[in-house]
């Protein structure tokens, strides 16, 4: 299951729960309370329970989700087999392989909007920009976003990615960069 | 009565200043609703274009997008700011300074005119938060539009800072500056100077608002300098931080100013008190800090930003859910639980439904504020999905309720039908953004015609969600028009609110409202 799907599902479940609670409140509120003082007390007892559940739940989720972040330092073995310099500019992606792999097929020269990489090797994308901010969004053939990092002028963002099998992948720009933003895409052929 | 630092005003003074405040606020709401309608139509136009039912030039599309973003966030902030001010004047009797407020409104309108000219005639299109250095590099817009919109925004920012300080002074005079954060509740549960929740919440907004305005003014002035002298350049990461301290805080404050109004007005419709106590003070003082530190979640995909700040972003985004739901949402539940059908007027209904939108949008925001999710959701349609949720079905409903209260309309049934319409169409509209986000469709694309996938999967997903979204967005606007009609049914001497035992004797109601 992709992360997006999980996020979507979690949201759906939460929204259904929230709407059910809201519906219960609305339904119950059509009747006027005969014992407002007791109701009030019950709500505030419930609030303490909610506070503890929420705090523990949030802390647990934080603990779980902060374990593996997409940042370079979270890679146990950051020695990539291939290093690709990616430069975004209005409105084009430029690729240049800085560290060549030991084996496999790959783009030898500087390429534009097109890149060939070998499969099953750890790739380090060194993403930057020659002008404004862009977003390096990596998609698979089915149109699912697999990951991203910003392309910023004056900075290099390092994104590690492992393409397990040969296939076609796409790059879309994911940071608004001017009137050609929607045209700024590239194709990565993994051989 | 809590007036301690101020001389008792002359008889009739309170009533006069409340009337003046009423007029200024009514004008502000008229302006905001006009902006909302125009920008709403432009929003539908954008969805139509993304759905390929229109074919705008991309330069036009993106300048519309910039205008829509700037005026919606700005307009709704004006509604929140003036709404909170009016309720404070009316309910606490603080000094109104209606002249200053009218002047600042005029300055804001001038600024809005500058933004409109720059984005329509100049086709200025860097997006509403103008991520540095986009205004200056390879622009498709003329240089004058950069200077014009930047100075217009600075003017608006100055006007709002003036408003923030004016309210701060009035509250300080009324309650004593040292009491405004509610810390006196720590030394005694029944402190000598009690403050209403709206006073505390407004104070929190004033402090964070000052931070937001300072960071906003900093980057705008920097932009002006570079506009005058193109040799000047700034650090991109630094500017990004400044922009999002501003943008994030500013959007949150729009919500919180209105939350203050809800704390104050909800009891007028339920007859149940909603008072400041230690827990409320702790919740809002922590919120003040959490808002400022959560902004880092806008920079998760800037991998060069220090990782400890990324951690802080996620931790404080999560933490902000605690005071918001434990105190405000539970407080609201205590207000409405078994209220009885008779008291379910339009105003409390909008406040409650708006809170529902706030919670749902907030949950979607937390999903996206989780770094591992942000990796695949950032800058997809998930982002407009969540912020449109707490704008459109959250704070906008609150503004509708407040304005209904302000004008004292009696068209309950009409307004309720309009509300039902806006809720159904609105959530449909939003679900198309969520679905788009779920399908990895990028946001801020003029169209999805040239996305490169062999099966055109992304074009198909992007266009379908945009088409349905456009229809439902238009229906939402129809509901809004219906609501505007309901505002016309004003009855003189019609008072919908209840008075409570702890009401200040001198806080007055305007006759005829
Ligand atoms: Cu772009």
């Amino acid at each position: 299951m992709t992360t997006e799907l999980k996020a979507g599902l979690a949201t759906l479940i939460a929204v259904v729960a929230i709407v059910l609670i809201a519906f219960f409140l609305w339904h119950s509120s059509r009747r006027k309370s005969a014992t407002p003082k007791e109701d009030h007390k019950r709500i505030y007892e419930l609030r303490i329970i909610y506070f503890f559940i929420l705090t523990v739940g949030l802390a647990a989720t934080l603990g779980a989700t902060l374990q593996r972040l997409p940042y370079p330092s979270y890679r146990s073995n950051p020695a990539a087999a291939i290093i690709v310099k990616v430069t975004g500019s209005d409105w084009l992606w430029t690729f240049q392989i800085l560290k060549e792999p030991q084996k496999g097929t790959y783009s030898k020269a500087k390429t534009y909007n097109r890149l060939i990489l070998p499969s099953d090797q750890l790739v380090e994308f060194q993403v930057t920009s020659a002008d404004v901010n862009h977003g390096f969004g990596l998609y698979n053939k089915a149109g699912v976003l697999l990951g991203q990092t910003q392309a910023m002028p004056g900075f290099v963002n390092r994104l590690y990615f492992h393409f397990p099998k040969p296939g076609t992948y796409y790059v879309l720009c994911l940071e608004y960069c001017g009137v050609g933003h929607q045209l700024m895409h590239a194709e990565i052929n993994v051989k | 009565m809590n007036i301690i630092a101020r001389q008792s005003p002359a008889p009739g003074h309170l009533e006069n200043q409340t009337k003046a405040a009423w007029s200024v606020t009514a004008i502000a709401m008229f302006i905001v609703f006009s902006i909302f309608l125009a920008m709403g139509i432009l929003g539908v136009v954008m969805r139509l274009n993304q759905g390929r039912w229109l074919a705008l030039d991309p330069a036009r599309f993106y300048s519309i997008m910039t205008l829509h973003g700037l005026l919606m966030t700005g307009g709704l902030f004006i509604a929140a700011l003036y709404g909170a001010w009016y309720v404070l004047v009316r309910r606490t009797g603080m000094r109104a300074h209606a002249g200053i407020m009218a002047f600042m409104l005029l300055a804001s309108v001038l600024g809005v005119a500058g933004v409109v000219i720059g984005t329509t005639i100049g086709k200025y299109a860097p997006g509403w938060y103008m991520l540095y250095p986009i205004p200056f590099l390879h622009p498709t817009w003329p240089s004058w539009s950069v200077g014009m919109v930047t100075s217009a925004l600075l003017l608006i920012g100055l006007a709002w800072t003036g408003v923030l300080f004016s309210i701060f002074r009035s509250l300080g005079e009324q309650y004593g500056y040292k009491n405004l954060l509610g810390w006196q509740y720590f030394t005694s549960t029944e402190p000598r100077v009690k403050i209403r929740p709206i006073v505390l919440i407004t104070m929190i907004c004033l402090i964070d608002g000052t931070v937001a305005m300072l960071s906003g003014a900093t980057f705008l002035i920097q932009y002006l300098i570079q506009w005058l002298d193109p040799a000047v350049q700034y650090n991109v990461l630094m500017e990004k931080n400044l922009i999002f301290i501003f943008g994030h805080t500013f959007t949150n404050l729009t919500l919180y100013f209105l939350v203050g109004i809800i704390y104050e007005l909800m009891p007028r419709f339920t007859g149940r008190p909603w008072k400041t106590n230690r827990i409320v003070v702790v919740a809002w003082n922590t919120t003040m800090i959490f808002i400022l530190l959560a902004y880092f979640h806008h920079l998760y995909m800037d991998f060069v930003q220090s990782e400890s700040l990324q951690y802080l972003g996620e931790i404080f985004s999560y933490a902000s859910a605690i005071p918001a739901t434990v105190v405000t949402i539970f407080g609201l539940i205590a207000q409405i639980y078994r209220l009885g059908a008779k008291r379910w007027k339009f105003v409390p209904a909008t406040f409650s439904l708006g809170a529902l939108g706030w919670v749902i949008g907030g949950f979607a925001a937390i999903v996206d504020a989780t770094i591992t999710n942000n990796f695949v959701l950032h800058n997809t349609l998930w982002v407009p999905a969540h912020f449109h949720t707490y704008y459109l079905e959250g704070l906008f409903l609150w503004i509708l309720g407040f304005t209904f209260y302000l004008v004292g309309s009696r068209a309950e049934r009409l307004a309720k039908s309009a509300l039902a319409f806006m809720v159904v169409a609105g959530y449909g509209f939003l679900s198309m953004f969520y679905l788009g986000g779920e399908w990895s469709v990028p946001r801020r694309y003029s169209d999805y015609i040239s996305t490169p996938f062999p099966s055109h999967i992304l074009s198909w997903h992007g266009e379908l969600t945009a088409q349905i979204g456009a229809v439902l967005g238009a229906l939402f606007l129809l509901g809004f028009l219906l609501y505007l009609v309901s505002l016309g049914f004003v009855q003189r001497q019609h008072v919908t609110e209840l008075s409570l035992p702890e009401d200040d004797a001198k806080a007055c109601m305007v006759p005829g409202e």
Side-chain angles (χ1 to χ4, degrees), chain A residues 77-141:
Chain A
N77 177 17
I82 312 159
I83 296 176
V84 187
K85 187 182 178 199
V86 182
T87 310
S89 58
D90 286 345
W91 290 280
L92 180 80
W93 292 107
T94 306
F95 301 100
Q96 188 175 14
I97 295 193
L98 297 181
K99 179 185 172 190
E100 302 193 342
Q102 305 287 346
K103 55 182 170 31
T105 324
Y106 55 92
S107 305
K108 304 273 188 210
K110 198 187 245 188
T111 54
Y112 302 97
N113 286 345
R114 190 166 283 278
L115 175 69
I116 300 168
L117 287 176
S119 63
D120 201 24
Q121 299 191 48
L122 185 62
V123 183
E124 177 184 328
F125 291 104
Q126 296 190 350
V127 183
T128 187
S129 164
D131 40 43
V132 299
N133 287 276
H134 299 277
F136 178 76
L138 197 56
Y139 281 75
N140 70 11
K141 208 172 154 182

Side-chain angles (χ1 to χ4, degrees), chain B residues 152-470:
Chain B
L153 293 175
L154 254 177
L155 175 68
I156 296 176
L158 273 174
W160 291 345
T161 310
V163 169
L164 296 180
F165 275 93
S166 169
I167 297 176
F168 177 59
R169 232 183 73 197
S170 298
L171 285 178
E173 284 171 2
Q174 185 83 333
Y175 295 100
Y177 292 97
K178 66 178 194 307
N179 297 315
L180 295 178
L181 284 171
W183 293 356
Q184 67 275 29
Y185 284 84
F186 295 127
T187 47
S188 157
T189 49
E190 291 288 323
R192 203 170 59 84
V193 178
K194 287 185 190 161
I195 54 170
R196 296 159 168 278
I198 187 177
V199 174
L200 168 67
I201 297 169
T202 304
M203 185 58 200
I204 302 304
C205 293
L206 295 180
I207 291 174
D208 282 353
T210 308
V211 176
M213 292 303 152
L214 274 177
S215 55
T218 307
F219 78 78
L220 288 175
I221 290 169
Q222 286 181 320
Y223 281 20
L224 272 186
I225 293 171
Q226 183 167 350
W227 179 63
L228 293 168
D229 178 7
V232 179
Q233 276 177 31
Y234 309 105
N235 179 309
V236 174
L237 186 61
M238 181 69 203
E239 295 306 298
K240 235 179 195 174
N241 276 278
L242 278 173
I243 287 167
F244 285 110
I245 291 174
F246 164 76
H248 169 84
T249 311
F250 176 75
T251 342
N252 274 277
L253 294 186
T254 313
L255 279 159
Y256 291 139
F257 271 119
L258 288 157
V259 169
I261 295 180
I262 290 171
Y263 271 79
E264 183 61 35
L265 293 187
M266 200 66 186
R268 319 287 130 197
F269 293 90
T270 61
R272 298 172 180 180
W274 197 353
K275 290 187 198 165
T276 306
N277 56 35
R278 275 180 201 175
I279 294 175
V280 172
V281 171
V282 170
W284 283 98
N285 276 270
T286 50
T287 297
M288 174 172 74
I289 312 289
F290 293 172
I291 301 175
L292 293 179
L293 289 171
Y295 93 85
F296 292 115
H297 63 217
H298 291 273
L299 288 100
Y300 285 158
M301 292 303 115
D302 298 347
F303 288 13
V304 282
Q305 174 100 314
S306 155
E307 272 172 30
S308 51
L309 299 180
Q310 311 288 26
Y311 265 120
L312 283 184
E314 184 166 327
I315 292 167
F316 284 102
S317 305
Y318 275 53
S320 58
I322 297 173
T325 59
V326 172
V327 175
T328 301
I329 296 301
F330 264 83
L332 190 65
I333 289 172
Q335 286 284 312
I336 61 177
Y337 182 67
R338 289 194 178 164
L339 181 62
K342 249 176 64 189
R343 288 195 172 166
W344 269 114
K345 298 276 201 256
F346 175 73
V347 177
T350 57
F351 288 174
S352 309
L353 281 169
L356 182 64
W358 180 35
V359 172
I360 294 174
F363 186 86
I366 287 198
V367 166
D368 195 29
T370 308
I371 298 169
T372 45
N373 294 336
N374 194 261
F375 192 48
V376 293
L377 288 176
H378 184 61
N379 282 345
T380 68
L381 288 179
W382 191 275
V383 180
H386 90 265
F387 71 69
H388 278 89
T389 310
Y390 60 67
Y391 263 95
L392 209 56
E393 291 296 334
L395 66 90
F396 185 63
L397 298 189
W398 294 341
I399 293 171
L400 297 183
F402 165 73
T403 310
F404 196 83
Y405 159 86
L406 180 78
V407 304
S409 171
R410 62 186 166 82
E412 282 282 332
R413 282 184 59 186
L414 185 58
K416 278 180 182 166
S417 319
L419 179 64
F421 206 79
M422 280 186 275
V423 168
V424 174
Y427 277 104
F429 169 78
L430 295 170
S431 65
M432 289 301 114
F433 275 141
Y434 282 110
L435 193 59
E438 194 56 27
W439 278 339
S440 305
V441 178
R443 77 189 274 225
R444 303 184 127 190
Y445 269 37
S446 59
D447 56 76
Y448 299 102
I449 296 167
S450 61
T451 49
F453 302 87
S455 53
H456 301 289
I457 181 93
L458 216 65
S459 312
W460 185 73
H461 283 161
E463 285 166 13
L464 179 74
T465 49
Q467 289 160 355
I468 301 173

